[in-house]
Amino acid sequence: MKNLFLVSLIIIGISLSCQNQRGKDANNFFLTGKIIGQDTGKIILSYGFGIKYHEDTAKIRNGEFTFQGTVEEPTRGSIIDGSTSNSVTIYLEPGKLIATIHQNKSMSINLSGSNSQKELDNLNKILESTNNKDSVLRNFVTKNPNSYLTPYYLCSLKISPDSLKNIYNGLNVGIQKSRWGRMAQGHIKQHQNTTVGEFATDFKAIDLNGDSITLSQFKGKNTVMLEFWSSTCLYCRQSIPHLKSLYTKYHSKGLEIIAIACMDISKESWISAINQDGTGMWHQIGTVFRNGLTINEQPTFDYPYAPIPRTILIDVNGRILGNWEGKSDENTKSLDNELKRIFSNKS
C-alpha cells in the first residue's frame, strides 16, 4: 500500500507538471515573416507596456525573420525596421503567426493567425474612408465589448468620465481585466483621484529603500501629499525648497509626502536628483522609466502622469482635499492655505 501511495503521488506530480507546462506553452507565439523589398538588416518587435514590456531584435536573412515569445492575451505592439525606423502596428496572439511586410514609403503588414489583427485591419479600412474618425471609434468601442481593441481606443477618445465609465462597464469581464482594460479603468480612477471630495484609490508600491508602502497605511493617521515629479522637470525641481519647508513645518503634526516619479529617464537619474535635492526624508516611489525599467506599475494606472508637477492632497479619512497642476504663485498660496487650515489647531 505504501508503494502504491508513493506511485500515486509521483503520477499526480507528473500530471500537474505537464499541465503547468501546457499552460505556459499555451501562451507562446511563434512569428515567421517575410519583408518585401529588404533582404538583410535587422527588424525590431516591441510589445506590451510597463512590467510586461518587451523589445526583441531579429536579423533579416534573405528577406525572412522569426520572433518567438509569450503573451497572455492579444497584445498590441509594433514592428520597426531597424534601417528606416518605419513601423507598423501588430496584434500578437498565442500560436503560429505568419507576417508579410511590404516596404514602401511606409510599412504595411498582412498577418495571419491573429483575430485581433483582422479586427484592426477592418477598422483601419473604415477609418481611411472617412473624415469623421472620432465618430467611427466611438461606434466601434460601443458595439464591440468583446474586442481587445476596444479598451485601447477607449483610452484615446475624448469623452466625458461618465461616458467612459458607462462604456467600460459594458465590456466583457475578460476585456475589463486585460492590460488595456486595466488602463481604461485607470482613466476613470484618474478622474476620481483628482476630484475634491472623492476617496483616493489605494495603491501598493516599493519605495526607494525597498520597503513596501500603501496609501491606506496612512488612513486615520496622516494627511498625505502625493507629489508627482521627474528629475528632468525644471518646475518640479524648483518646487523642492518650498516642499521641504512645508515638510519641516508640518511633518511632526501629521503630514506625509509621497513623491511619485513620472516617466523619469532612468533609476540612476531619479536617485541622483533625490540626493542632489536632499529629499530622501520623505517617501520616494519610482514607477516606469524611459529606459524600459519598471519598479512600480500600479500608481501609473490610477493617477494622472501629466502635467507635472502635480500635487494631490488627501485627508486622514482618505478623501481628496485638493489637486494642483503645474507651478504658480496661485497654486503655492492655495496649497499653503489648505495646509494651514488643516494643521492650525494641531500642536
Side-chain angles (χ1 to χ4, degrees):
M1 289 292 292
K2 184 176 181 180
N3 289 337
L4 181 61
F5 178 70
L6 289 173
V7 170
S8 298
L9 286 179
I10 292 171
I11 292 173
I12 291 171
I14 293 173
S15 175
L16 290 174
S17 176
C18 291
Q19 288 178 20
N20 289 336
Q21 186 61 44
R22 282 196 297 270
K24 293 179 181 178
D25 291 344
N27 294 328
N28 291 343
F29 69 84
F30 188 77
L31 171 63
T32 60
K34 294 180 179 180
I35 181 163
I36 309 300
Q38 185 174 345
D39 292 330
T40 61
K42 66 178 181 178
I43 195 162
I44 302 165
L45 173 66
S46 65
Y47 56 99
F49 57 86
I51 59 175
K52 299 290 187 180
Y53 178 78
H54 297 275
E55 184 173 285
D56 299 325
T57 301
K59 289 184 178 180
I60 301 171
R61 293 185 174 91
N62 298 319
E64 298 181 346
F65 60 88
T66 62
F67 287 104
Q68 56 184 330
T70 302
V71 288
E72 297 174 356
E73 61 188 34
T75 301
R76 190 180 180 94
S78 296
I79 287 184
I80 305 165
D81 175 24
S83 301
T84 65
S85 296
N86 287 339
S87 65
V88 64
T89 299
I90 184 172
Y91 266 90
L92 299 170
E93 295 189 20
K96 293 182 179 180
L97 305 170
I98 301 174
T100 301
I101 295 175
H102 298 269
Q103 273 285 34
N104 302 310
K105 291 182 179 180
S106 60
M107 292 175 72
S108 61
I109 187 171
N110 295 319
L111 181 70
S112 63
S114 170
N115 289 327
S116 293
Q117 187 75 30
K118 289 180 182 178
E119 291 181 349
L120 177 63
D121 293 342
N122 291 333
L123 176 60
N124 283 338
K125 287 178 182 178
I126 299 172
L127 290 171
E128 289 169 1
S129 65
T130 181
N131 293 323
N132 196 350
K133 291 179 171 54
D134 188 65
S135 177
V136 170
L137 291 176
R138 284 175 184 243
N139 183 63
F140 181 86
V141 299
T142 302
K143 294 186 177 181
N144 292 276
N146 299 316
S147 172
Y148 281 88
L149 275 67
T150 293
Y152 173 82
Y153 288 107
L154 186 56
C155 289
S156 66
L157 284 174
K158 294 181 179 180
I159 56 178
S160 70
D162 286 341
S163 296
L164 176 62
K165 191 173 183 178
N166 287 336
I167 296 172
Y168 173 82
N169 287 339
L171 297 182
N172 175 283
V173 173
I175 302 300
Q176 289 181 350
K177 292 182 178 179
S178 70
R179 292 187 63 74
W180 275 106
R182 180 67 183 82
M183 185 70 81
Q185 184 186 48
H187 277 248
I188 298 168
K189 289 187 176 181
Q190 285 174 18
H191 174 72
Q192 170 187 322
N193 290 328
T194 55
T195 301
V196 174
E198 295 283 353
F199 282 103
T201 301
D202 191 20
F203 60 79
K204 183 178 182 179
I206 302 298
D207 69 11
L208 177 63
N209 300 317
D211 297 324
S212 178
I213 179 175
T214 63
L215 184 59
S216 57
Q217 75 186 59
F218 302 102
K219 193 172 183 179
K221 298 179 292 184
N222 302 98
T223 297
V224 177
M225 183 188 298
L226 299 182
E227 189 66 23
F228 297 85
W229 73 295
S230 167
S231 67
T232 60
C233 169
L234 177 63
Y235 291 134
C236 298
R237 304 291 291 277
Q238 289 177 347
S239 300
I240 294 296
H242 185 63
L243 290 178
K244 291 170 77 172
S245 70
L246 294 177
Y247 187 81
T248 300
K249 187 174 183 179
Y250 296 120
H251 177 61
S252 62
K253 297 182 180 182
L255 177 67
E256 292 287 351
I257 296 179
I258 302 175
I260 301 176
C262 299
M263 289 299 292
D264 219 319
I265 296 175
S266 65
K267 182 179 179 180
E268 292 73 23
S269 298
W270 170 58
I271 293 175
S272 176
I274 293 170
N275 291 334
Q276 288 174 15
D277 297 339
T279 56
M281 65 281 202
W282 57 62
H283 302 280
Q284 296 281 357
I285 295 176
T287 56
V288 179
F289 295 91
R290 292 183 219 171
N291 65 357
L293 174 68
T294 298
I295 298 179
N296 297 290
E297 189 178 60
Q298 189 178 358
T300 71
F301 281 113
D302 297 335
Y303 287 86
Y305 251 33
I308 55 173
R310 180 190 293 272
T311 301
I312 297 176
L313 193 63
I314 304 166
D315 71 12
V316 293
N317 298 313
R319 285 186 184 273
I320 307 292
L321 289 172
N323 167 51
W324 295 270
E325 297 178 8
K327 183 180 184 297
S328 68
D329 291 340
E330 182 180 356
N331 282 353
T332 299
K333 184 177 180 180
S334 176
L335 175 61
D336 288 353
N337 288 338
E338 189 64 31
L339 291 171
K340 184 178 180 180
R341 180 189 67 79
I342 294 168
F343 294 111
S344 60
N345 297 322
K346 295 184 181 181
S347 57

